[in-house]
Amino acid sequence: MDTDAILALLDGQYLLILGAALLIIALVAIIKLRGSVHQLGQEHDQLTRRLDTLWHDLDAMHQDDTPSLSGKSRTPATSVTPDTSPELLLAERRLFEGLWPVAWALHDKVGGFLRAVESGDPHSESRLAARNAALEMRSQINRSRPFFDAEIEGILTQLVDMEIKAHLTACQYLDQRQSNLGVSSEGSDVRESYRNKWRQLYDREANELINHLVSAMRKRLVRHVP
């Protein structure tokens, strides 16, 4: 191709057509991008509503029998009356000896799942182990409820709820990470909010409940010493 032909291809008409084509491509890309952002926003709203619903259902299950941990609203421990039989005291001690390993196993297994999620390690086994531990703890509470001191029952009920909420938050984090929203900066912000939420639930509130449970059990056992 000679020089005149090359110059002809680069004349004003050719450049105009090329510019129009590039503009059309840019417009199509913008339209697709806006559609993706709208879809991702809807997915995020759905995830948020799903988590809020789960939390609401959990809270509703125990709103009548769950005492507050703050200040004077805590339910005081039931004192041991002088006519409490040694058999009942021994039964309560045995109950605590069976409850504590189950409560600690729940806390430990939920913590293992959360650490696996945060570090990006395989989490299928720890996720199932945490779920089964929560079911076992719930079953243990239901079986032993007639024999509980009111304060112990309230602490255990709150503990199970906090552990389940932390577990659900991590599951929501995984669902969000696997969706298309996970590749965007908005997705990164959402994941960080889930991470902060489960840290609040597990590292602070659940740990506080564990310590409170230990103190309440010790108080009951010390009162039982002749």
Side-chain angles (χ1 to χ4, degrees), residues 134-226:
L135 293 174
E136 173 62 24
M137 189 68 218
R138 185 78 77 191
S139 176
Q140 185 87 333
I141 292 174
N142 290 336
R143 289 195 303 268
S144 306
R145 176 164 281 126
F147 314 105
F148 278 142
D149 168 70
E151 184 182 26
I152 300 295
E153 179 185 359
I155 297 170
L156 288 171
T157 300
Q158 289 184 84
L159 177 62
V160 175
D161 286 350
M162 289 301 166
E163 302 287 1
I164 291 176
K165 288 177 181 180
H167 184 274
L168 290 173
T169 304
C171 291
Q172 291 295 315
Y173 172 93
L174 291 172
D175 291 343
Q176 190 277 335
R177 189 174 67 182
Q178 293 170 1
S179 70
N180 292 332
L181 189 60
V183 301
S184 67
S185 59
E186 180 183 357
S188 179
D189 292 340
V190 174
R191 290 198 306 275
E192 185 62 24
S193 68
Y194 287 146
R195 188 182 293 111
N196 291 337
K197 185 63 178 179
W198 84 56
R199 286 173 178 169
Q200 169 71 20
L201 291 168
Y202 183 83
D203 294 339
R204 297 186 59 181
E205 298 187 33
N207 276 335
E208 179 186 351
L209 285 164
I210 282 288
N211 293 332
H212 190 34
L213 177 62
V214 172
S215 298
M217 284 183 172
R218 285 175 177 169
K219 185 189 302 182
R220 295 287 300 175
L221 293 176
V222 168
R223 290 178 178 181
H224 293 176
V225 175

Side-chain angles (χ1 to χ4, degrees), residues 17-204:
I17 294 173
L18 179 60
L22 293 174
L23 180 60
I24 292 173
I25 293 173
L27 290 173
V28 171
I30 291 173
I31 292 172
K32 288 185 177 180
L33 179 60
R34 292 184 63 182
S36 298
V37 170
H38 179 70
Q39 180 181 358
L40 295 176
Q42 289 181 329
E43 292 177 357
H44 173 241
D45 292 341
Q46 290 174 356
L47 288 172
T48 301
R49 286 194 297 270
R50 177 184 169 194
L51 182 58
D52 289 342
T53 300
L54 289 170
W55 287 359
H56 176 75
D57 291 343
L58 285 170
D59 291 339
M61 289 173 61
H62 303 288
Q63 62 183 357
D64 294 331
D65 57 9
T66 301
S68 171
L69 280 178
S70 59
K72 298 181 180 179
S73 60
R74 291 182 179 175
T75 302
T78 302
S79 60
V80 179
T81 58
D83 58 346
T84 301
S85 68
E87 291 79 8
L88 289 177
L89 301 182
L90 180 59
E92 186 173 34
R93 177 170 181 171
R94 288 176 176 171
L95 182 65
F96 289 167
E97 290 174 349
L99 276 170
W100 171 249
V102 179
W104 179 253
L106 170 61
H107 190 62
D108 183 59
K109 292 182 186 302
V110 170
F113 171 58
L114 298 178
R115 289 189 293 273
V117 171
E118 187 162 20
S119 62
D121 294 334
H123 57 266
S124 297
E125 291 186 6
S126 60
R127 180 176 184 171
L128 181 60
R131 178 181 179 277
N132 290 338
L135 293 174
E136 173 62 24
M137 189 68 218
R138 185 78 77 191
S139 176
Q140 185 87 333
I141 292 174
N142 290 336
R143 289 195 303 268
S144 306
R145 176 164 281 126
F147 314 105
F148 278 142
D149 168 70
E151 184 182 26
I152 300 295
E153 179 185 359
I155 297 170
L156 288 171
T157 300
Q158 289 184 84
L159 177 62
V160 175
D161 286 350
M162 289 301 166
E163 302 287 1
I164 291 176
K165 288 177 181 180
H167 184 274
L168 290 173
T169 304
C171 291
Q172 291 295 315
Y173 172 93
L174 291 172
D175 291 343
Q176 190 277 335
R177 189 174 67 182
Q178 293 170 1
S179 70
N180 292 332
L181 189 60
V183 301
S184 67
S185 59
E186 180 183 357
S188 179
D189 292 340
V190 174
R191 290 198 306 275
E192 185 62 24
S193 68
Y194 287 146
R195 188 182 293 111
N196 291 337
K197 185 63 178 179
W198 84 56
R199 286 173 178 169
Q200 169 71 20
L201 291 168
Y202 183 83
D203 294 339
R204 297 186 59 181

